[in-house]
Structure formats: structure tokens, C-alpha cells
């Protein structure tokens, strides 16, 4: 079924947002990345599967907005030895979908491959990323980012950079 002009516009806005978010993370521009979050934002990377209640199951990351800010401040201290030197990162993004558009909020998902080059070697992270995006003052912001790593049931290397 063809998209309506409104659906096409929403997909273009979402695509620009996701590409920008990926670039900011790849360039370690975490202060700019942090500005993409709403005040009630939640960042979740589940462990051992893609679902469950993050309050009851183990997570790789389960950060509220305050914890996201703390993680970024810690990164800027230069005392994150697993990020000395910083990982070189590049993401590939595909299959961007607007799953539900409720006007002020959108449910969005995409696939990502992240290549990380670090002194310990090279790692490829594969993931399905889900977002809840909110339109605030004409801009999209993240109220939820959930990263489902393909290998989240395996032992993982440090992810001192943010996925």
C-alpha cells in the first residue's frame, strides 16, 4: 500500500533523526547526543533476550535520564580506561520503519550494524533498535531507546562507548 504524504514526511523526519543520532554517537559527540533525549528518557539494552520487564530481568543497560547524563560525564573524565584511546565507531542503519504514528509520539524501529575498532581488536555489533520519539517544539526527541543486540545472551566485551 502506498504511503500518504504525511506518512512519507514522518518517515523522512525519522530517518534524518536516526542518521543524526548514529553520527553523533560515532563521533563521540555525547553532549549533542544527550540533547536528543526527553527529560523522562529511558535507555534500555536487554540481556538474554529481547523482551521482559527491565525492572525484573537482567539488562546490559537500563538507564533513566539522570543515569544517561552521569554516564556521559564519566566518559568525559578521561578515566574510562576501556575508552583510552577512544573506540573508532561507524554504524550502518537500515530497515527504518515508523511502526505507529500517534501525532505527538511515534514508535520507530531499525536495524543497525556497528563496527568498533579498539586496541583489543575489532568487534561488529548487530542490533534491532526501537525508539519512542516525541515531537517537541517541532523537533524529534527520544523518550525510549531500546537496543536488542543479536548476541545479548553471550558474554560481551566492554561497551564503555554507548551503543
Amino acid at each position: 500500500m502506498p504511503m500518504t504524504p504525511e506518512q512519507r514526511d514522518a518517515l523522512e523526519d525519522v530517518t534524518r533523526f536516526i542518521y543524526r543520532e548514529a553520527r553523533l554517537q560515532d563521533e563521540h559527540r555525547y553532549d549533542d547526543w544527550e540533547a536528543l533525549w526527553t527529560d523522562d528518557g529511558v535507555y534500555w539494552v536487554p540481556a538474554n533476550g529481547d523482551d521482559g520487564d527491565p525492572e525484573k530481568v537482567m539488562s546490559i543497560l537500563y538507564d533513566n535520564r539522570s543515569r544517561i547524563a552521569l554516564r556521559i560525564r564519566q566518559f568525559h573524565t578521561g578515566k574510562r580506561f576501556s575508552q583510552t584511546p577512544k573506540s573508532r565507531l561507524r554504524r550502518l542503519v537500515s530497515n527504518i520503519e515508523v511502526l505507529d504514528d500517534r501525532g505527538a509520539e511515534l514508535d520507530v524501529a531499525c536495524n543497525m550494524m556497528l563496527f568498533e575498532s579498539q586496541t583489543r581488536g575489532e568487534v561488529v555489533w548487530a542490533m534491532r533498535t526501537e525508539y519512542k520519539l516525541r515531537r517537541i517544539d517541532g523537533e524529534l526527541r527520544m523518550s525510549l531507546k531500546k537496543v536488542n543486540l543479536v548476541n545479548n545472551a553471550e558474554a560481551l566485551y566492554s561497551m564503555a562507548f554507548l551503543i
Side-chain angles (χ1 to χ4, degrees), residues 86-132:
K86 293 178 186 173
S87 295
R88 293 178 52 92
L89 306 167
R90 284 295 172 233
R91 286 168 176 77
L92 297 175
V93 179
S94 72
N95 300 61
I96 298 172
E97 297 176 278
V98 176
L99 303 174
D100 190 18
D101 185 347
R102 296 178 298 283
E105 284 202 351
L106 303 101
D107 294 336
V108 174
C110 65
N111 294 334
M112 287 189 188
M113 295 281 291
L114 169 60
F115 178 83
E116 177 190 16
S117 179
Q118 177 54 278
T119 52
R120 69 176 179 273
E122 298 171 345
V123 180
V124 176
W125 305 91
M127 63 200 85
R128 176 78 170 166
T129 304
E130 301 169 14
Y131 299 89
K132 283 196 184 299

Side-chain angles (χ1 to χ4, degrees), residues 24-160:
L24 293 174
Q25 288 187 293
D26 287 349
E27 296 172 357
H28 300 282
R29 293 174 52 193
Y30 295 117
D31 293 330
D32 294 331
W33 178 77
E34 184 182 3
L36 300 177
W37 286 92
T38 61
D39 292 341
D40 62 346
V42 173
Y43 188 16
W44 182 28
V45 182
N48 301 321
D50 298 338
D51 287 311
D53 180 347
E55 297 287 334
K56 297 179 180 174
V57 299
M58 188 169 70
S59 296
I60 297 167
L61 281 175
Y62 182 52
D63 291 348
N64 61 18
R65 188 64 181 76
S66 173
R67 179 74 181 137
I68 292 167
L70 175 63
R71 193 180 297 275
I72 291 169
R73 285 195 310 269
Q74 290 172 340
F75 183 84
H76 286 314
T77 65
K79 295 180 180 174
R80 285 258 172 142
F81 299 108
S82 63
Q83 282 297 291
T84 306
K86 293 178 186 173
S87 295
R88 293 178 52 92
L89 306 167
R90 284 295 172 233
R91 286 168 176 77
L92 297 175
V93 179
S94 72
N95 300 61
I96 298 172
E97 297 176 278
V98 176
L99 303 174
D100 190 18
D101 185 347
R102 296 178 298 283
E105 284 202 351
L106 303 101
D107 294 336
V108 174
C110 65
N111 294 334
M112 287 189 188
M113 295 281 291
L114 169 60
F115 178 83
E116 177 190 16
S117 179
Q118 177 54 278
T119 52
R120 69 176 179 273
E122 298 171 345
V123 180
V124 176
W125 305 91
M127 63 200 85
R128 176 78 170 166
T129 304
E130 301 169 14
Y131 299 89
K132 283 196 184 299
L133 302 178
R134 195 175 297 153
R135 291 182 172 103
I136 299 175
D137 298 328
E139 300 288 328
L140 291 174
R141 310 252 313 263
M142 295 182 286
S143 62
L144 172 70
K145 180 177 181 180
K146 178 181 172 189
V147 178
N148 295 313
L149 293 170
V150 170
N151 60 341
N152 70 7
E154 307 293 326
L156 300 173
Y157 295 102
S158 168
M159 292 182 290

